Amino acid sequence: MWDPVKYLDYAELRARPFHDLVARIPAVNPRRVADLGCGPGNLTAGLAERWPDAIIEASDSSPEMVEAARSRGVDARVLDVKDWVPEPDTDVVISNAVLQWVPEHRVLLRRWVERLPSGATLAFQVPGNFDAPSHALVRALARTEEWASRLADVVLRENEAVDSPLGYGNLLADAGCAVDAWETTYLQRLSGENAVLEWITGTSLRPVKEALPAADWDHFRAQIARELDKAYPPRPDGTTWFEFRRVFVVAVVP
């Protein structure tokens, strides 16, 4: 279960990749803009400001996120991204930090390109920090004897789930698209106790939390907090630096 409140911790920092992605979309007057994985809708609302004449289509697989989006006035619906089919007038597709949860998303990308109208833009960003301590330490702990029987299959092999900019560039260029692909590492300055733990609790730790009873989750959380504190030592002022690598792709359909 997604927690919209927890996800919105550090909302401004989490929003930066979305804004950087959307800024590179060349569409001027699209008929329909699809936001796949709209989350709590705080970012979707800005799409209507950029393209006021477009139909804004929003969806998310989490009922909790869709409810939060609707409370913000976003006309969102519950839909798994794997089941989405573009309407004939879809000129822009945006997927913000969603496709890393879909191992077969490369197949989806090719399918979308085949079904989108000529000139449509497909834009997405995914995390690229799966080899960072924030994720590697979680995988290592989940595979220890204490946790492996319950978590070995839960923790996504995240470093295999996403590709490099070059990999996505080749995939979409082979499909005939004009491709703009890049990566950015944001140096986030987080505040508060266990800052990195709090950051990943709203995203990558969600499957772990869902798989464990409350008492066991608290125990796992305490263990990983110690490891993260070593890997990301707080500064004397109490803030913590966190490197946040993202992979971006903007592709125009032939």
Side-chain angles (χ1 to χ4, degrees):
M1 178 184 297
W2 280 97
D3 181 350
V5 175
K6 187 65 183 176
Y7 182 80
L8 286 171
D9 285 351
Y10 306 109
E12 184 176 349
L13 293 179
R14 292 192 192 278
R16 288 183 63 192
F18 177 88
H19 294 309
D20 289 348
L21 176 69
V22 172
R24 300 279 278 269
I25 295 175
V28 176
N29 190 28
R31 294 166 295 175
R32 179 185 295 267
V33 176
D35 185 4
L36 308 181
C38 64
N42 56 309
L43 300 175
T44 310
L47 300 177
E49 296 177 6
R50 174 167 175 183
W51 296 298
D53 297 327
I55 298 170
I56 305 298
E57 174 188 332
S59 61
D60 200 283
S61 62
S62 164
E64 294 79 17
M65 287 294 195
V66 168
E67 182 180 354
R70 288 174 176 167
S71 72
R72 289 181 167 83
V74 175
D75 185 19
R77 60 174 173 151
V78 178
L79 180 69
D80 192 307
V81 68
K82 296 190 294 293
D83 299 325
W84 179 77
V85 177
E87 296 290 341
D89 62 348
T90 304
D91 290 327
V92 174
V93 181
I94 299 170
S95 176
N96 183 57
V98 173
L99 295 179
Q100 73 274 14
W101 299 105
V102 185
E104 66 273 28
H105 69 264
R106 295 165 185 80
V107 175
L108 287 182
L109 293 172
R110 287 190 290 265
R111 184 187 307 160
W112 293 344
V113 168
E114 292 173 356
R115 297 182 178 182
L116 286 167
S118 178
T121 300
L122 171 59
F124 64 92
Q125 67 93 3
V126 290
N129 58 337
F130 296 123
D131 288 326
S134 56
H135 292 66
L137 289 171
V138 172
R139 291 196 299 271
L141 179 58
R143 292 166 183 162
T144 60
E145 183 177 355
E146 180 178 5
W147 299 106
S149 62
R150 289 176 289 175
L151 296 180
D153 294 332
V154 173
V155 177
L156 182 68
R157 292 180 179 176
E158 299 156 316
N159 54 337
E160 302 173 6
V162 302
D163 215 330
S164 64
L166 177 61
Y168 288 122
N170 282 329
L171 173 73
L172 292 165
D174 288 346
C177 297
V179 184
D180 179 14
W182 72 100
E183 66 179 64
T184 298
T185 298
Y186 300 89
L187 186 59
Q188 314 275 39
R189 194 171 187 177
L190 307 182
S191 60
E193 187 177 1
N194 297 322
V196 174
L197 173 61
E198 294 299 330
W199 177 280
I200 64 174
T201 294
T203 52
S204 60
L205 273 183
R206 181 181 60 87
V208 175
K209 183 177 181 181
E210 290 180 356
L212 297 174
D216 290 343
W217 160 245
D218 290 341
H219 181 44
F220 184 92
R221 193 176 186 277
Q223 288 182 326
I224 197 62
R226 290 193 292 270
E227 298 304 315
L228 291 172
D229 203 44
K230 297 174 188 175
Y232 299 94
R235 288 167 38 83
D237 63 3
T239 62
T240 303
W241 289 118
F242 179 57
E243 291 183 315
F244 187 54
R245 178 176 174 261
R246 314 301 286 186
V247 174
F248 299 80
V249 180
V250 176
V252 178
V253 176

